[in-house]
Amino acid sequence: MFLKRILVFLIVTIFATSHASIGGYICPYSRKKFLEIATRALNTNTEDISVIYFGANSFKLLNEALPKDLKTASCEKLNKLFKPTADLSTLFYGLSTNKLLGCDSKLSVEGVVKIAQEALQSDVSSVLDLHYASEILTLLGQPLSNQQKIVQLIQAQLKTDDSVLNLGYALHIAALLGNSGKFIINRIEDIVVQADEVDGKLLQWEGGLSTTSQILTGLLKFPTSNQLTQVQADKLGNYLLSRTTVQTPKGVSVLLEAVTALAASKISPVSISIAGPTSVTVNKPELRIQVTNILGQPLKPTPSPVVAQSATRIADDVVVLAKQPLSPGTKESEFILPLKLEPGFYKILINAGTHAATLNARVLGPIEIKNFEIGLSDADGSSVPKLEKITFPNKCSKILKGDSGQNLLVKFTLSQQVHQAFLRLSAGKKEIIFVAGYESNNQYKIEADLGQELPLSDTFTIELIIGDSIITNPIRWNVGNIEVKLSGAATQSVGPKIIRSAKPEIVHMFRQPDKRPAEVVSLFFTALTLTPFLVLLVSWKKIGVNFSNFTPLAIPFHLGFGAILGLFALFWLKLNMFATCAYLIPIGGFTFFAGQRLLSHVAKNKKPEKADK
């Protein structure tokens, strides 16, 4: 029992101290794309300073120098757009952009310090306003005075709205406040638990890339708070790598801010990936593996040892390699794994210290044709076929001659199994292709009934075609020729004349309309619809029409009511429901207010009469 507990403890310890690495890094292709987006942002004719900021910030995070002409044009555009009386966000982006570009001319910042200080003391300032104001003063080299007041404002705003985005801004403000900002440490655990996990591999905060970047960069400014575990950091790294398809300047900027901060942290994810092509050959079996951070930069210190824990052939799930150490490569973060294996696809488990990753690689090798035989046999199997052995790349010693009562028989053996093995018979523009059937031990066979398969009598060229994704020498071998003479009946039964002409027009058949009722019935029901109007006229004749109480206020109401009736008639004749509703809203509103005024007038006139009684 004691030994069993010890074994369980060791297993748990091993799994607890090892974890997977992230699935890739910011590759050169992504860096090139990010630079193109940043360049377009700086070249854009825009009046939004934030666009210029995101472009300049991306250049800095990519550690790329700005072209001189682009820098000059961006500085001129910034000087033209920047106004010291703008809102806090514009002031922040303007001052930050000026610092990133390193412009020779200084921006006019008169009154900016006062605006920022007032925002930091105002009870109506949002957390975002406090964030921009504190960043502005820091950029201008001004101290954040009355820090307790700022802390009180942040806490008051978080009581009202403690969304993850506001908490992210609060993290950045607290980092600028020094010791006064330690209040936010009590909220860090609450921030971390609000992250959403996707498929057990990705971790993000609600709000997408911008929110996740804001929170992550804020959390990493408090390295002593143990805010994130290594597993969580790896999942965040995987999420950031999944967003490398961003196409906007802001998306690129916030992504680079997050990955740069994560790569510089103590919980920097480890990327174990294949450097260069994922295929090696039998002659050059060295597979290059690199162990880097999320930016593709060398890790210091590099996790060790770096070992190929296992290599499994995907075709049959057989382990062909185990616990093979990797040797250092030419670069600091590069390691070499010699895959001296048979051609095929392999799944390789690499361990680098406590990190692990499963990589897919391919070993390529040459193919060899062995024991190739070709000949003719009787279709009814009445005689033993006579086959000629040919060695690649030679041709058949004579022209084969066959008829409609014979089969073409081909047998050959390859040095390994392939996915594509065909026999092609061609004569001029006519061709027919037969698929080689796999038998066993890499043996293939093709048997073609000449009378059934060939369209007409002719001399055909025979070619063997061998191809596969794991061979380095695909083969197209001209084996020889075969002269086929088919009987008249066979010739007529196959190979019909091909006629290429316009196909008959497709005419849609509409459903026949239902039979309409007799004209008398239609007129009768039309007359019935006029019955209410006739009843109204008869009633007016008997009772009479009282115009004594008529008021001009009734005219708008009756006009509106008549317009509604007319609209219904148009709906019945040609309008659809959506157009009718669009017209009915204003007409109905007008009629409602006109009727309200009319009823109010009638009610006022009746009140004196009741008083007299």
Side-chain angles (χ1 to χ4, degrees):
M1 180 63 71
F2 177 74
L3 291 176
K4 185 177 180 180
R5 290 181 179 179
I6 291 290
L7 181 61
V8 171
F9 173 77
L10 289 174
I11 293 174
V12 171
T13 302
I14 290 172
F15 280 95
T17 55
S18 65
H19 48 81
S21 67
I22 58 175
Y25 62 100
I26 303 296
C27 62
Y29 171 79
S30 295
R31 288 178 58 87
K32 180 181 178 182
K33 186 190 73 171
F34 293 159
L35 275 177
E36 291 174 353
I37 295 173
T39 303
R40 287 200 301 268
L42 294 176
N43 281 323
T44 302
N45 186 16
T46 179
E47 296 185 358
D48 188 353
I49 295 179
S50 66
V51 176
I52 307 174
Y53 164 78
F54 293 131
N57 194 39
S58 297
F59 266 92
K60 178 189 175 184
L61 293 170
L62 290 169
N63 199 24
E64 295 284 344
L66 264 172
K68 188 175 181 180
D69 56 341
L70 192 59
K71 174 183 174 182
T72 303
S74 299
C75 288
E76 292 176 355
K77 193 185 303 180
L78 178 62
N79 286 327
K80 178 181 177 182
L81 296 175
F82 184 81
K83 300 290 187 296
T85 56
D87 57 84
L88 289 169
S89 63
T90 304
L91 294 175
F92 164 73
Y93 286 125
L95 295 171
S96 299
T97 306
N98 189 62
K99 183 178 179 180
L100 290 169
L101 295 174
C103 299
D104 297 330
S105 58
K106 294 184 179 180
L107 296 176
S108 175
V109 295
E110 183 179 355
V112 173
V113 173
K114 183 180 179 181
I115 293 173
Q117 289 175 341
E118 289 177 352
L120 289 176
Q121 304 301 318
S122 174
D123 293 336
V124 297
S125 294
S126 64
V127 180
L128 181 59
D129 293 335
L130 297 174
H131 166 67
Y132 284 138
S134 58
E135 292 284 0
I136 288 170
L137 292 178
T138 304
L139 286 168
L140 295 175
Q142 298 293 323
L144 297 178
S145 56
N146 199 359
Q147 294 186 358
Q148 290 302 319
K149 173 65 174 179
I150 299 174
V151 172
Q152 292 174 4
L153 291 175
I154 296 173
Q155 291 176 331
Q157 289 295 329
L158 290 179
K159 287 181 180 179
T160 304
D161 180 10
D162 62 345
S163 63
V164 288
L165 186 57
N166 272 352
L167 289 169
Y169 291 129
L171 284 168
H172 286 269
I173 302 171
L176 297 175
L177 293 176
N179 290 331
S180 299
K182 290 184 177 180
F183 74 95
I184 200 64
I185 294 178
N186 297 327
R187 301 297 302 271
I188 286 180
E189 183 178 355
D190 178 48
I191 297 172
V192 173
V193 298
Q194 292 188 58
D196 299 324
E197 191 171 292
V198 182
D199 295 334
K201 299 178 182 179
L202 312 179
L203 199 65
Q204 66 170 10
W205 278 275
E206 184 181 359
L209 178 60
S210 298
T211 303
T212 300
S213 175
Q214 186 73 22
I215 296 173
L216 179 59
T217 53
L219 287 173
L220 295 177
K221 292 182 177 180
F222 296 88
T224 59
S225 62
N226 297 322
Q227 70 279 12
L228 289 170
T229 65
Q230 187 64 58
V231 174
Q232 290 172 324
D234 290 346
K235 292 179 179 180
L236 283 166
N238 284 329
Y239 168 74
L240 295 174
L241 290 174
S242 72
R243 298 305 307 274
T244 54
T245 55
V246 291
Q247 298 293 329
T248 62
K250 180 179 180 180
V252 171
S253 178
V254 297
L255 174 63
L256 291 174
E257 284 181 349
V259 296
T260 302
L262 194 57
S265 68
K266 294 181 179 180
I267 52 174
S268 173
V270 174
S271 170
I272 303 175
S273 57
I274 297 176
T278 60
S279 302
V280 298
T281 63
V282 174
N283 298 328
K284 294 182 179 180
E286 294 81 13
L287 182 68
R288 295 187 297 132
I289 306 294
Q290 64 177 17
V291 182
T292 64
N293 62 14
I294 193 173
L295 288 172
Q297 300 167 341
L299 292 165
K300 294 183 180 180
T302 302
S304 62
V306 181
V307 179
Q309 195 69 21
S310 66
T312 306
R313 188 164 52 227
I314 296 177
D316 51 13
D317 206 27
V318 174
V319 177
V320 295
L321 180 151
K323 295 184 179 180
Q324 181 173 335
L326 276 67
S327 57
T330 56
K331 298 180 181 179
E332 183 179 357
S333 59
E334 188 177 84
F335 299 87
I336 304 298
L337 173 63
L339 286 180
K340 297 179 180 179
L341 305 172
E342 295 180 359
F345 292 90
Y346 295 90
K347 184 169 56 177
I348 306 168
L349 175 61
I350 302 292
N351 282 358
T354 60
H355 300 270
T358 300
L359 308 175
N360 291 323
R362 179 175 57 170
V363 178
L364 308 179
I367 193 76
E368 183 181 353
I369 301 176
K370 305 176 182 179
N371 304 325
F372 184 89
E373 296 178 302
I374 186 170
L376 296 170
S377 65
D378 293 331
D380 55 6
S382 59
S383 63
V384 179
K386 294 181 180 181
L387 302 179
E388 179 182 354
K389 290 187 177 182
I390 308 174
T391 304
F392 176 80
N394 299 325
K395 295 181 66 174
C396 190
S397 59
K398 58 182 180 180
I399 297 177
L400 299 175
K401 296 184 178 182
D403 54 40
S404 56
Q406 292 180 307
N407 293 346
L408 176 63
L409 181 61
V410 177
K411 294 181 179 180
F412 58 93
T413 303
L414 301 177
S415 57
Q416 65 189 55
Q417 188 175 350
V418 296
H419 284 94
Q420 297 174 333
F422 308 110
L423 191 72
R424 178 177 180 263
L425 271 62
S426 61
K429 295 183 179 181
K430 301 179 290 293
E431 70 172 10
I432 183 167
I433 295 176
F434 303 94
V435 180
Y438 181 79
E439 294 194 321
S440 62
N441 298 324
N442 299 331
Q443 296 178 352
Y444 292 83
K445 179 180 178 181
I446 301 171
E447 190 168 7
D449 188 330
L450 300 178
Q452 295 295 325
E453 300 291 349
L454 299 186
L456 45 81
S457 300
D458 208 333
T459 300
F460 294 86
T461 300
I462 305 172
E463 289 180 307
L464 182 67
I465 300 173
I466 305 294
D468 199 285
S469 58
I470 58 173
I471 64 176
T472 55
N473 60 330
I475 295 172
R476 186 167 183 174
W477 176 22
N478 186 344
V479 177
N481 298 307
I482 180 172
E483 182 181 341
V484 181
K485 292 184 178 180
L486 304 177
S487 62
T491 305
Q492 295 173 5
S493 62
V494 293
K497 185 179 179 181
I498 300 174
I499 301 175
R500 290 183 175 87
S501 60
K503 293 185 177 181
E505 181 183 358
I506 298 175
V507 180
H508 181 72
M509 299 296 292
F510 290 95
R511 186 175 70 87
Q512 292 295 328
D514 296 333
K515 186 178 180 181
R516 299 187 65 181
E519 184 178 355
V520 176
V521 176
S522 299
L523 292 175
F524 172 74
F525 279 98
T526 303
L528 284 180
T529 59
L530 299 176
T531 302
F533 182 67
L534 296 175
V535 172
L536 177 63
L537 294 177
V538 173
S539 300
W540 279 350
K541 185 176 181 181
K542 290 185 176 182
I543 302 173
V545 181
N546 183 14
F547 289 103
S548 59
N549 291 328
F550 183 80
T551 172
L553 293 175
I555 296 175
F557 170 73
H558 286 93
L559 288 175
F561 184 68
I564 292 174
L565 295 177
L567 183 62
F568 287 167
L570 290 174
F571 172 62
W572 184 53
L573 293 173
K574 64 177 183 178
L575 292 181
N576 57 39
M577 181 178 65
F578 299 103
T580 303
C581 290
Y583 288 118
L584 183 60
I585 291 172
I587 296 173
F590 170 78
T591 306
F592 172 78
F593 287 111
Q596 182 69 21
R597 291 193 63 188
L598 178 60
L599 291 174
S600 299
H601 175 73
V602 172
K604 288 180 181 179
N605 289 340
K606 287 185 177 182
K607 285 181 180 179
E609 296 178 1
K610 291 182 179 180
D612 294 339
K613 291 181 181 180

